[in-house]
Amino acid sequence: MRRLFKVLSLPMVAAMAFASYTPAKADEFTDVITEILELYEAGEIGEAAKAMDYANQLLSQMKAGALQDVLPPPMEGWSFEEISGDGAAMAFMGGISTAGEYRKDNEDVTINIMGDSPMIQQFGAIMGNAAMVQSSGGKLIRVKRQTGMVTQDGEVQMLIGNRFLIMIGGNADEATKIAYLEAIDFDALTALP
């Protein structure tokens, strides 16, 4: 039994706990976990590792579905279209992401939310440095007690809880992009597993 715990990493044990948290998708996940244990007991370590990779992908899809729910509803007169596909987030440097596009007449707003990626930490260093933001042609903004920035190209960016990067682009004006940023539930975002 001790050898089994050496094979199962701490993230995998956490993943098992997360699976019980989301019963709608837990059946396939628990089937894969059973398969991993069977392969391990049969000495097929390579196949068990492949199955474990698949189990991790299933967990990313579950987390992505929860991330997608954070996208705000369209404002009055606007339409919404999910960009990221069937509700599963795309892999992003080991993290998760989701995106949606909002349209009204000839205006559009695109919201991308990325999370749990090592690359996100680099954005925190930039956003935390007013001189760096200004020297790049951007400006700092403050929304719901969070500091973000508007880039030289007009993209609104904000880092939430050092885990999630929100990027809002499109051809709509800055006020509209900031209104969409304000419509995102930051507390729900930081509460995601």
Side-chain angles (χ1 to χ4, degrees):
M1 190 69 169
R2 286 184 185 174
R3 284 182 49 200
L4 176 61
F5 286 114
K6 288 181 183 178
V7 171
L8 293 175
S9 64
L10 181 59
M12 194 56 173
V13 173
M16 288 180 184
F18 179 77
S20 65
Y21 174 76
T22 55
K25 301 228 178 182
D27 290 339
E28 184 177 8
F29 180 79
T30 42
D31 288 347
V32 174
I33 294 301
T34 301
E35 179 184 354
I36 292 168
L37 292 172
E38 290 170 357
L39 289 166
Y40 172 77
E41 289 171 356
E44 297 181 41
I45 304 302
E47 290 301 314
K50 288 179 189 176
M52 194 172 293
D53 289 341
Y54 180 69
N56 281 327
Q57 289 175 7
L58 289 175
L59 289 175
S60 291
Q61 291 174 1
M62 288 181 222
K63 287 174 66 175
L67 182 61
Q68 181 189 8
D69 293 341
V70 177
L71 288 172
M75 293 189 285
E76 188 173 335
W78 289 72
S79 64
F80 169 78
E81 181 180 339
E82 179 188 348
I83 295 175
S84 57
D86 60 3
M90 303 169 288
F92 180 79
M93 299 290 290
I96 58 173
S97 69
T98 194
E101 184 172 50
Y102 302 79
R103 290 190 171 278
K104 178 182 178 183
D105 301 326
N106 294 328
E107 290 183 286
D108 66 83
V109 170
T110 303
I111 300 177
N112 289 288
I113 303 175
M114 294 174 258
D116 298 334
S117 170
M119 186 176 163
I120 291 175
Q121 299 305 316
Q122 296 172 7
F123 283 94
I126 293 169
M127 288 183 199
N129 186 330
M132 189 178 288
V133 170
Q134 291 173 347
S135 69
S136 68
K139 68 176 184 177
L140 292 175
I141 58 170
R142 190 114 171 116
V143 173
K144 296 194 282 189
R145 298 184 179 181
Q146 300 289 322
T147 302
M149 65 183 265
V150 179
T151 68
Q152 182 178 10
D153 299 330
E155 183 175 76
V156 174
Q157 300 177 353
M158 184 169 283
L159 185 63
I160 304 295
N162 289 323
R163 283 184 63 201
F164 296 99
L165 176 64
I166 300 170
M167 297 183 298
I168 303 177
N171 66 10
D173 60 34
E174 182 180 310
T176 302
K177 293 174 188 174
I178 291 175
Y180 269 106
L181 179 63
E182 290 172 342
I184 296 172
D185 186 342
F186 295 167
D187 291 335
L189 192 58
T190 56
L192 290 176

